[in-house]
Amino acid sequence: TRTFTTQDTVAPILHGIPANSTDECGNEVPEAVVFATDNCDTDMVIGLSAVTIQNDCGYSFVRTWTVSDDCGNTTTGSQTTTFIDTTDPVLNNLPQSGGVECGSIPTENSFNVIATDNCDSSIDVNVSFSDAGSGCNMTRTFTWTATDACGNSASATRVFNVYDNTAPV
């Protein structure tokens, strides 16, 4: 009589884990079809966890797959997608250039210009203005600028010609 005892010391193998990649902020992470094979176990459940890690200029999305066979052998594999921001912010609520009545000359607080970005959720909009001429023969030029955390920036300029169509009283 002979007794043969086998012991599974070989961990399962994960297949289909995507390679690490770099992509533009705001793009979707493609779905991955990951499966496992093992020398003894044919019915394994693969676990998936994911975490997003913010950084100064974008973020990383890390997916980790884990599988164990019936004998406790475990394999883990990860994929990191690093999202970078190379896209300029977008200025919203910009007024149209045009003419304004002498008594209604706009100031930097006259407009609610905001900026949106594909990666940075909070962007300050800086506004400045300059005048050419004086009184009712003046032109006021506004410039709005927004810069995201990655140094991408957008700016817009609007010109307002001041006129006097109101007769004196």
Side-chain angles (χ1 to χ4, degrees), residues 96-113:
Q96 295 296 316
S97 293
V100 293
E101 181 69 35
C102 193
S104 302
I105 301 171
T107 67
E108 62 268 296
N109 296 322
S110 298
F111 309 103
N112 184 30
V113 176

Side-chain angles (χ1 to χ4, degrees), residues 69-169:
D69 63 19
D70 286 338
C71 295
N73 302 305
T74 300
T75 299
T76 300
S78 294
Q79 182 232 5
T80 300
T81 302
T82 303
F83 289 94
I84 59 172
D85 185 2
T86 61
T87 302
D88 294 338
V90 175
L91 292 167
N92 301 292
N93 301 333
L94 287 164
Q96 295 296 316
S97 293
V100 293
E101 181 69 35
C102 193
S104 302
I105 301 171
T107 67
E108 62 268 296
N109 296 322
S110 298
F111 309 103
N112 184 30
V113 176
I114 60 172
T116 55
D117 189 65
N118 63 334
C119 209
D120 195 343
S121 62
S122 176
I123 301 174
D124 291 330
V125 177
N126 298 310
V127 60
S128 62
F129 68 88
S130 62
D131 294 333
S134 63
C136 292
N137 293 316
M138 176 176 94
T139 300
R140 178 162 283 178
T141 303
F142 285 89
T143 302
W144 292 270
T145 305
T147 303
D148 66 20
C150 299
N152 305 305
S153 65
S155 64
T157 301
R158 298 295 189 263
V159 178
F160 295 91
N161 297 310
V162 179
Y163 58 85
D164 184 2
N165 286 341
T166 304
V169 177

